[in-house]
Amino acid sequence: MNELIFIIHIVVVGGEHEFFIYECSELTQPNLKIVLKAFSIFKKRLKSGMQLLILNDINENPVKDFHNYKYRNEVQIIQPGSIQLRATLIAAAYAGIYIPEFLSIENFGLNYMKVNVPFLTINDEQLLSIYKDAAIYTEIDEKKIADNLMLLYKDE
């Protein structure tokens, strides 16, 4: 419970910045580098205090050469550990990003929809039929993802 209070304080209260949240799992880790590049494009265009919070569900460091990343001070990598912590962070996020390498059975978008947090995911017929206009859809391309992050930011 102390871990939960500490992280919420740092990210939500003490950080004083809004944040996108990226769920990093075995399905999404291959596209993390593309998302980081998209976040860089977003930061260059907007010059805002927006941050990126990566919920790391894999046992290793999800970002190779992270120390070289220009905006590393505006990216936090957290292993959520508990369902309660994950839910709290998702609810506090400005928007969610879920860019899997391939689709799975899990309904990740429902987590965002339950707490009215917009989310960005891949453009896929199956996902379009499930989430309809509850999500913003993108191609797996850093410029298109950055454009959609701008859309989310400007048009809540």
Side-chain angles (χ1 to χ4, degrees):
M1 188 62 151
N2 289 339
E3 173 192 67
L4 175 66
I5 293 168
F6 176 71
I7 291 176
I8 291 171
H9 179 73
I10 289 175
V11 174
V12 181
V13 180
E16 296 179 10
H17 295 289
E18 296 169 314
F19 61 93
F20 294 120
I21 196 164
Y22 185 78
E23 296 187 62
C24 184
S25 65
E26 290 181 12
L27 292 176
T28 61
Q29 197 270 338
N31 292 324
L32 179 55
K33 196 170 202 172
I34 293 168
V35 171
L36 285 170
K37 288 179 182 179
F39 185 67
S40 292
I41 294 168
F42 171 85
K43 293 297 288 183
K44 285 178 192 173
R45 287 184 193 165
L46 196 60
K47 300 196 184 339
S48 77
M50 183 66 77
Q51 296 191 0
L52 177 64
L53 177 63
I54 299 170
L55 296 182
N56 184 20
D57 289 330
I58 57 178
N59 290 330
E60 59 190 51
N61 180 356
V63 185
K64 305 292 184 243
D65 297 325
F66 184 66
H67 64 280
N68 293 330
Y69 181 62
K70 181 177 181 177
Y71 296 102
R72 67 185 168 275
N73 293 333
E74 296 170 59
V75 175
Q76 296 181 44
I77 301 171
I78 296 175
Q79 290 190 300
S82 72
I83 293 173
Q84 182 182 9
L85 176 58
R86 176 182 297 280
T88 303
L89 292 171
I90 288 173
Y94 191 84
I97 306 168
Y98 190 84
I99 311 290
E101 186 173 35
F102 55 89
L103 292 181
S104 73
I105 298 172
E106 66 184 69
N107 265 333
F108 64 89
L110 296 178
N111 295 331
Y112 298 100
M113 292 170 68
K114 286 178 186 174
V115 292
N116 293 320
V117 172
F119 62 99
L120 176 66
T121 191
I122 58 174
N123 190 5
D124 177 86
E125 280 185 42
Q126 183 180 359
L127 294 178
L128 283 165
S129 69
I130 295 170
Y131 302 121
K132 299 183 181 10
D133 61 353
I136 293 182
Y137 302 93
T138 188
E139 302 299 320
I140 302 175
D141 173 80
E142 59 208 48
K143 290 180 182 160
K144 290 182 181 183
I145 293 171
D147 289 344
N148 283 304
L149 292 176
M150 292 294 293
L151 178 65
L152 278 167
Y153 185 77
K154 289 180 178 179
D155 191 22
E156 297 181 27

